[in-house]
């Protein structure tokens, strides 16, 4: 595990590399570009599928569908929190 100083140093190096070579940043998928645009649809789709699976599971009394919906809801929750954490950095 890195110390606070080492983490700050790595963050500074990362910012400097992003500023100096945005093309490299884009190719690595770290900055804005196609990978971020492709992921944009994932959260709404996961959320919609999760709600549908939970509702169908409850109405049809199918535990597997209901649990699958809960798993999808958990995946959507993880994506939201990863995105928030990344946006805060």
């Amino acid at each position: 595990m890195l110390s606070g100083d080492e983490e700050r140093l790595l963050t500074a190096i990362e910012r400097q590399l992003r500023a100096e070579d945005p093309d490299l940043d884009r190719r690595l998928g770290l900055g804005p570009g196609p990978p971020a645009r492709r992921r944009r649809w994932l959260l709404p789709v996961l959320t919609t599928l999760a709600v549908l699976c939970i509702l169908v599971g409850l109405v049809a009394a199918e535990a597997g569908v209901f649990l699958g919906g809960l798993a999808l809801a958990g995946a959507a929750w993880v994506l939201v929190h990863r995105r928030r954490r990344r946006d805060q950095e």
Side-chain angles (χ1 to χ4, degrees), residues 50 53-54 65-75:
C53 286
I54 289 171
V65 175
F66 178 76
L67 292 174
L70 288 179
L72 287 172

Side-chain angles (χ1 to χ4, degrees), residues 11 18 33 77:
T11 302
R18 283 183 179 190
W77 184 81

Side-chain angles (χ1 to χ4, degrees), residues 1-32:
M1 194 155 174
L2 298 174
S3 70
D5 290 336
E6 291 170 329
E7 202 166 315
R8 281 189 290 278
L9 179 61
L10 284 176
T11 302
I13 292 170
E14 179 183 354
R15 282 190 197 127
Q16 182 180 358
L17 284 173
R18 283 183 179 190
E20 290 176 358
D21 195 353
D23 186 48
L24 174 65
D25 188 33
R26 191 183 79 259
R27 281 186 282 147
L28 292 174
L30 302 173

Side-chain angles (χ1 to χ4, degrees), residues 2 45 47 79:
L2 298 174
V45 169
T47 304
L79 283 175

Side-chain angles (χ1 to χ4, degrees), residues 34-88:
R37 278 183 267 152
R38 276 185 253 141
R39 284 188 301 245
R40 191 170 293 155
W41 60 268
L42 186 60
L43 183 61
V45 169
L46 273 179
T47 304
T48 303
L49 284 175
V51 169
L52 286 174
C53 286
I54 289 171
L55 290 175
V56 168
L58 287 173
V59 170
E62 287 289 329
V65 175
F66 178 76
L67 292 174
L70 288 179
L72 287 172
W77 184 81
V78 167
L79 283 175
V80 166
H81 286 282
R82 288 174 79 193
R83 187 177 291 172
R84 283 184 187 165
R85 188 179 307 139
R86 186 181 64 232
D87 290 343
Q88 289 174 354

